[in-house]
Amino acid sequence: MTTKNLLVELFVEELPPKALQKLGDAFAGVLCEQLKAQGLMTADSVLTPFASPRRLAAQVTAVADKAADKAVRQKLMPVSVGLDAAGTATPALLKKLQALGVQVSDPAAAVALLQRAQDGKAEALFYDSVLPGATLQEGLQKALHEAIAKLPIPKVMTYQLETDCELPGWSSVQFVRPAHGLVALHGSDVVPVKALGLTAGNRTQGHRFEAAVSPVVLRDADSYAQQLRDEGAVIASFAERRAEIARQLAAAAAKVGNGAHAIEDDALLDEVTALVERPNVLVCSFEQEFLGVPQECLILTMKANQKYFPLLDAADKLTNLFLVVSNITPDDPSLVIGGNERVVRPRLADAKFFFDQDRKKTLASRVEGLGKVVYHNKLGTQGERVERVRAIAQAIAHQLGDSALVQQADQAALLAKTDLVTDMVGEFPELQGTMGRYYALNDGLSETVADAIEDHYKPRFSGDTLPRSTVGVVVALADKLETLVGMFGIGNLPTGDRDPFALRRHALGVIRMLVEKNLPLDLNALLASAVPAFGDKITDAAPQVADFIYDRLAGNLREQGYSAQEVDAVLALRPQRLALVEKQLAAVRAFAALPESPALAAANKRVANILKKAGDVDPHVNPELLQEAAEQDLYAALQRFVPEANAQFEAGDFTASLQTLAVLRVPVDAFFDDVMVNAEQLDLRLNRQGLLKSLHLAMNRVADLSRLAV
């Protein structure tokens, strides 16, 4: 068995750029996984994926030409079934051996081929054989088939290939794009595998226009990347091409000077990397007059429509320069630069036209137009939605501030959606909120209201900033609560893989604002205040929304490093002030570290079970009915330490509150050792249950400590 490096390449027509990196990684990953499963790779084998606009490839080092043979032991049947009383093979055993392809001359010879071994309580017959290892051609053929079948193809194409046989005709092939070449090299040897109607060879194609030779004849698996670079003018590695583009962008910006730098956008960089085979960054410009348009509009149109990298100055303000990543490197780049400048000019002119036209009407004058835009067939128009958001915002503002906050929040809520009916947002929906702020300032509204109009969508994604002002927070909360309560109220719930109204993101946004802004708002009251705004359009689903929010909060807290036990203990109480949850978790973690913690957690679990069976228990205790010393001691300890713990709890010192109650371990243990709770005498039983109820209420204000029991 010899090992050499293996190179496999599929040469195709231009692949979808947004999927290229994923396709390349999947192709290489599955190919490697299958070769490993068949024993054709060594422990030292290294995988290198390649992906360019017209190729998916993988190089794997130290691949064997044949896998090692494998010893296999197969269980046939119990001895009692396979052998008769004389120890001779039965017909059933002979038939089984024949099915396995084992040739036997007589029943006695058959027995000699087998091994007897214990299998559980019975003895069984086993057949030992050697399974020949797969050849590279066999293994690679299977691996290639699996790699193609498991590609995460966004949309399959069907195309025709001429059949390779005596009779003329065509066959249909399905793949992400038409494939035109297949390479499979083991060292310098071609592995004659087939895929997509192609037979592997050692030839591939380079750059469409700038390849030095065509085709590129590969010497061996190791020369692939270098030959493509030198002879084919192609950087085959996605990672190397991406790094080269980033380097050229930085160099071009540095050449401009004055602190200029290309806008950072990883998704754009990935997409451009998937569009070019040999990048060449060029500096282009547009007329200064377009800088009067909000830079977000210009940046978006250059990035989304043209895949350009706008240049920002040292203060992150847009300049009239942008960078183009060209796929060709002519001696005179002026024609390429001029062409890109001509292409972008109409795009910028459209943005300027939309901006100028939109400013001719105030946002207030557009409110009526929202009544003609359908939001949801069960929830009415955007105009109706705005009225609901206003009502919810007013309710929140009354709790957080004075009449000035109520007035500003109401004005921002009224105008927050009006930019949806502007030309600019109609063309670029991503600018909703952003354009509302610009138009609000143009209308002479205060900066606070303008900021709130933009910020009411925040946080838009994980890690996004929160609204800048209290007004923005109020409107953002109202907007997200309206969506959550409305969608749950009509039964439009997210499923495992579908969440078209981004309800999970809205729930996390509510959590972040309540927590990070430390808002003194109770969750249930907040949800209840949103329901009346819908009238009879929905059923009250506030409890389900609360459960949904707590589920999102639990997941978020676990991601932050809190254990499932800690999170479960705190959220079991359904805390209303979400801003205090992390303090409660810290207190629980500190309590769990105390030596008294395991015993008290177990006792709390026992108490919870007793009270659950007892039903509705009155926490009142009559001291005169406390007969046993242990119950008297527990009552005295509660009287002494619970007021102190409660005072600490009310002051927000949850850690101190739990630590104060930790001294109850000794009297609690003694109580369960010496006292029969369910006494036959009714008044004694009820009094002892009341004592346990008092203990349970005192111990579980910060968290349900029974959830900490192992």
Side-chain angles (χ1 to χ4, degrees), residues 492-513:
N492 199 347
L493 312 182
T495 59
D497 59 346
R498 292 191 71 255
D499 188 8
F501 288 91
L503 301 185
R504 294 184 181 91
R505 177 166 57 80
H506 284 309
L508 287 172
V510 170
I511 291 167
R512 281 194 60 197
M513 283 185 279

Side-chain angles (χ1 to χ4, degrees), residues 499-559:
D499 188 8
F501 288 91
L503 301 185
R504 294 184 181 91
R505 177 166 57 80
H506 284 309
L508 287 172
V510 170
I511 291 167
R512 281 194 60 197
M513 283 185 279
L514 291 176
V515 171
E516 295 177 33
K517 294 294 184 179
N518 194 23
L519 299 180
L521 299 172
D522 288 354
L523 182 60
N524 286 348
L526 200 57
L527 295 172
S529 69
V531 174
F534 289 86
D536 60 358
K537 287 184 179 291
I538 66 168
T539 56
D540 184 355
Q544 291 91 329
V545 178
D547 290 341
F548 184 71
I549 289 174
Y550 283 120
D551 284 344
R552 304 281 79 70
L553 177 59
N556 185 260
L557 291 170
R558 286 193 293 268
E559 288 175 5

Side-chain angles (χ1 to χ4, degrees), residues 103 220 269 282-283 379 409 573 596 614 646 668 686:
Q103 300 299 322
D220 53 47
L269 183 55
L282 302 170
V283 181
L379 296 175
L573 300 184
E596 298 89 349
N646 285 343
V668 167
L686 293 177

Side-chain angles (χ1 to χ4, degrees), residues 176-191:
V176 58
R177 292 289 186 270
H180 296 293
L182 176 63
V183 173
L185 289 175
H186 189 227
S188 58
D189 300 325
V190 173
V191 185

Side-chain angles (χ1 to χ4, degrees), residues 75-89:
K75 178 186 172 183
L76 303 183
M77 58 189 65
V79 170
S80 59
V81 177
L83 302 180
D84 59 21
T88 306

Side-chain angles (χ1 to χ4, degrees), residues 168-489:
W170 298 85
S171 63
S172 293
V173 179
Q174 288 191 325
F175 195 52
V176 58
R177 292 289 186 270
H180 296 293
L182 176 63
V183 173
L185 289 175
H186 189 227
S188 58
D189 300 325
V190 173
V191 185
V193 292
K194 296 185 177 183
L196 303 174
L198 304 166
T199 301
N202 64 347
R203 298 181 173 215
T204 187
Q205 299 293 326
H207 196 287
R208 281 191 185 274
F209 311 111
E210 299 189 350
V213 297
S214 182
V216 177
V217 181
L218 300 171
R219 293 187 295 274
D220 53 47
D222 292 333
S223 67
Y224 176 72
Q226 194 62 46
Q227 278 191 264
L228 272 180
R229 185 186 289 267
D230 296 341
E231 301 173 26
V234 171
I235 301 175
S237 167
F238 187 96
E240 287 182 23
R241 209 164 56 254
R242 190 182 193 275
E244 174 61 16
I245 293 172
R247 185 194 67 78
Q248 290 192 33
L249 289 172
K255 194 173 180 180
V256 170
N258 297 322
H261 57 281
I263 195 164
E264 292 184 11
D265 189 322
D266 287 341
L268 177 62
L269 183 55
D270 287 340
E271 189 173 358
V272 171
T273 302
L275 287 169
V276 298
E277 293 182 309
R278 186 170 71 167
N280 177 33
V281 173
L282 302 170
V283 181
C284 305
S285 64
F286 57 84
E287 289 79 359
Q288 288 273 357
E289 65 179 277
F290 291 122
L291 293 178
V293 179
Q295 69 176 39
E296 293 90 345
C297 309
L298 305 182
I299 289 172
L300 182 60
T301 191
M302 283 190 279
K303 284 170 38 177
N305 297 125
Q306 305 303 134
K307 314 306 175 190
Y308 296 156
F309 288 84
L311 271 181
L312 308 179
D313 63 18
D316 283 337
K317 296 296 182 183
L318 182 66
T319 69
N320 70 320
L321 302 176
F322 59 94
L323 302 179
V324 173
V325 183
S326 174
N327 195 34
I328 57 175
T329 312
D331 294 332
D332 180 9
S334 60
L335 290 177
V336 178
I337 293 172
N340 281 284
E341 290 176 345
R342 283 194 300 274
V343 167
V344 79
R345 193 172 293 115
R347 296 283 189 183
L348 302 183
D350 285 347
K352 185 175 186 303
F353 174 78
F354 293 145
F355 185 56
D356 291 340
Q357 289 297 111
D358 286 342
R359 286 183 296 169
K360 293 178 180 178
K361 291 179 65 176
T362 65
L363 290 181
S365 69
R366 297 180 184 274
V367 173
E368 186 178 351
L370 293 173
K372 301 174 184 177
V373 180
V374 176
Y375 167 57
H376 191 281
N377 62 345
K378 292 183 179 180
L379 296 175
T381 65
Q382 285 285 4
E384 293 174 275
R385 185 184 181 205
V386 163
E387 291 305 312
R388 293 194 293 268
V389 173
R390 288 179 69 188
I392 299 169
Q394 288 175 23
I396 297 171
H398 276 297
Q399 295 182 64
L400 293 179
D402 54 18
S403 59
L405 177 62
V406 174
Q407 189 275 328
Q408 287 181 311
D410 183 58
Q411 186 179 26
L414 174 66
L415 303 176
K417 303 295 181 184
T418 50
D419 65 353
L420 295 178
V421 291
T422 62
D423 292 337
M424 185 71 83
V425 175
E427 182 70 15
F428 301 111
E430 302 92 334
L431 294 176
Q432 59 186 354
T434 300
M435 295 314 302
R437 179 180 182 279
Y438 279 107
Y439 297 146
L441 292 174
N442 183 71
D443 293 347
L445 300 181
S446 70
E447 193 165 318
T448 300
V449 171
D451 288 345
I453 291 173
E454 178 179 22
D455 290 351
H456 88 281
Y457 288 106
K458 294 180 179 179
R460 297 173 185 253
F461 51 84
S462 177
D464 191 17
T465 57
L466 297 183
R468 285 163 277 194
S469 68
T470 305
V471 177
V473 169
V474 168
V475 182
L477 268 177
D479 183 65
K480 289 166 177 56
L481 289 171
E482 191 277 338
T483 302
L484 287 165
V485 172
M487 290 301 160
F488 271 78

Side-chain angles (χ1 to χ4, degrees), residues 74-76 94-103 127:
Q74 293 173 277
K75 178 186 172 183
L76 303 183
L94 293 174
K95 187 175 181 181
K96 180 69 173 179
L97 289 171
Q98 186 179 10
L100 293 174
V102 181
Q103 300 299 322
Y127 175 66

